[in-house]
Amino acid sequence: MTLTTKTTSPAYDEKAAYWEKWAETMARQSHRFNEPLLEAAGVGPGRKLLDLASGAGEPALSAAALVGPEGHVTATDASAEMLAGATRRAEQAGLENITFEVADMHALPFADDAFDALTCRFGLMFVDDPVAALSEARRVLRPGSRLAYMVWGQRRENTLHDVMKTVVPKLLGESGDESGVDGAQFRFADEGSVAPLMVAAGLDQVEERELRLSPRLDAGKPFWRPNLEMAFGAKLETLSADERQDIETAVVDAFAPYLKEGAYHLQLHARLACATAPG
Ligand SMILES: C[S@@+](CC[C@H](N)C(=O)[O-])C[C@H]1O[C@@H](n2cnc3c(N)ncnc32)[C@H](O)[C@@H]1O
């Protein structure tokens, strides 16, 4: 496994320890997102897959099992710290058909036509110039290869993120300013917001699909803790135990309206934008 060290994503470097801490828990719930994403990109045995913005390792690690020993996954991210966590996870899982490279989506360090499938889960929202990033993706793909990008749908239809973003920043004394990395999360929430960018990048067979899930989560379990720490971990470390307890109590209270018959009823809404690299 290889890992270069340049980093261009300081906001995510800061979050990396918390993402790695919760990565296995999150990965166990990942199949609901990964299955449609990997299928849309045509990922299967023998494929040479490029995964962009791999973060703590999904969907890259799951894809490694799918492409098998004849295939290969190249996992990339602008944050060296995030990718270091993903590398450790792959080593622990004994995966031998995956390599890691720090790479900004705007300027991929790969030859033309190097891959035959491409995925990006919840990363496109964070790039400065999405058309430039999609053009780079087209460049490194063999003609006829499939690309699939997953982005978040509407914030109000993503209960977990919506409640956390409503409750926690205020208690941390943050402005709730949506201009930073956390604000970009719902940049492509509107239907039809990615497809025109793909067309502008010269991609073919462009299509957007919706993914709606209604998870039911057991009452009494702090299902919100991974999200709390992954989003706000560094800031929480600076708080006293009482201050942190106040935040956790406020979070539990904010989820109370979603509790029915012993389970929390939440919603998830994502969009899947797919295309084909032109011949
Ligand atoms: C929300 S995380 C998604 C990680 C993972 N794919 C997942 O779904 O769990 C977004 C990732 O995008 C990465 N990122 C942000 N800007 C990027 C860029 N310009 N090029 C590559 N990765 C970038 C961040 O470092 C971060 O790891």
Side-chain angles (χ1 to χ4, degrees), residues 7-13 15-16 19 26 30 33-34 37 51-60 76-83 102-108 119-129 133 150 152 161 181 185 230:
T7 180
T8 55
S9 187
Y12 271 97
D13 281 347
K15 295 176 192 281
W19 278 65
M26 301 303 283
S30 266
F33 290 128
N34 288 350
L37 177 69
D51 184 51
L52 302 174
S54 305
E58 289 300 331
T76 61
D77 199 283
S79 161
E81 296 295 329
M82 290 290 267
L83 216 48
V102 178
D104 190 309
M105 274 190 255
H106 295 101
L108 295 171
T119 49
C120 180
R121 195 183 88 170
F122 302 130
L124 188 64
M125 303 85 89
F126 304 109
V127 305
D128 293 337
D129 185 344
M150 190 165 275
W152 289 111
H161 294 292
V181 64
Q185 186 178 2
M230 288 160 68

Side-chain angles (χ1 to χ4, degrees), residues 167-179:
V167 173
V168 181
K170 259 191 281 184
L171 295 171
L172 289 173
E174 293 178 357
S175 65
D177 170 22
E178 289 283 285
S179 62

Side-chain angles (χ1 to χ4, degrees), residues 39-262:
E39 190 193 335
V43 178
R47 289 281 176 193
K48 265 184 98 181
L49 171 71
L50 174 62
D51 184 51
L52 302 174
S54 305
E58 289 300 331
L61 270 62
S62 295
L66 216 54
V67 301
E70 305 299 318
H72 186 82
V73 175
T74 303
T76 61
D77 199 283
S79 161
E81 296 295 329
M82 290 290 267
L83 216 48
T87 308
R88 282 188 284 272
R89 293 184 56 229
E91 281 167 356
Q92 278 158 18
L95 295 175
E96 292 182 350
N97 60 347
I98 184 165
T99 49
F100 296 85
E101 189 141 359
V102 178
D104 190 309
M105 274 190 255
H106 295 101
L108 295 171
F110 307 112
D112 296 0
D113 302 351
F115 302 95
D116 56 20
L118 183 145
T119 49
C120 180
R121 195 183 88 170
F122 302 130
L124 188 64
M125 303 85 89
F126 304 109
V127 305
D128 293 337
D129 185 344
V131 175
L134 290 163
S135 300
E136 266 297 83
R138 174 172 60 86
R139 179 184 67 75
V140 301
L141 278 176
R142 286 220 317 260
S145 305
R146 296 280 295 159
L147 318 77
Y149 289 75
M150 190 165 275
V151 297
W152 289 111
Q154 298 297 337
R155 170 173 157 172
R156 65 180 175 280
E157 294 173 62
N158 282 291
T159 324
L160 183 58
H161 294 292
D162 189 32
V163 168
M164 301 300 269
K165 278 176 178 282
T166 303
V167 173
V168 181
K170 259 191 281 184
L171 295 171
L172 289 173
E174 293 178 357
S175 65
D177 170 22
E178 289 283 285
S179 62
V181 64
D182 294 320
Q185 186 178 2
F186 297 101
R187 177 181 178 189
F188 296 128
D190 289 341
E191 188 178 349
S193 55
V194 180
L197 306 175
M198 289 183 148
V199 172
L203 294 165
D204 284 347
Q205 298 174 38
V206 171
E207 177 199 351
E208 281 190 18
R209 301 176 201 162
E210 285 203 290
L211 179 64
R212 289 179 189 279
L213 301 168
S214 303
R216 301 281 177 268
L217 303 167
D218 289 346
K221 289 194 184 155
F223 62 87
W224 40 265
R225 196 181 300 284
N227 182 283
L228 177 67
E229 293 193 5
M230 288 160 68
F232 304 104
K235 193 74 185 271
L236 293 173
E237 300 262 3
T238 67
L239 303 182
S240 69
D242 283 351
E243 288 168 331
R244 188 167 169 147
Q245 185 56 55
D246 287 348
I247 288 180
E248 296 196 355
T249 302
V251 168
V252 171
D253 290 349
F255 280 111
Y258 300 92
L259 186 56
K260 289 167 208 147
E261 295 160 4

Side-chain angles (χ1 to χ4, degrees), residues 17-30 56-58 85-86 89 226 230:
Y18 308 100
W19 278 65
E20 185 178 359
K21 173 180 172 186
W22 290 107
E24 292 302 322
T25 304
M26 301 303 283
R28 282 195 288 278
Q29 304 160 7
S30 266
E58 289 300 331
R89 293 184 56 229
M230 288 160 68

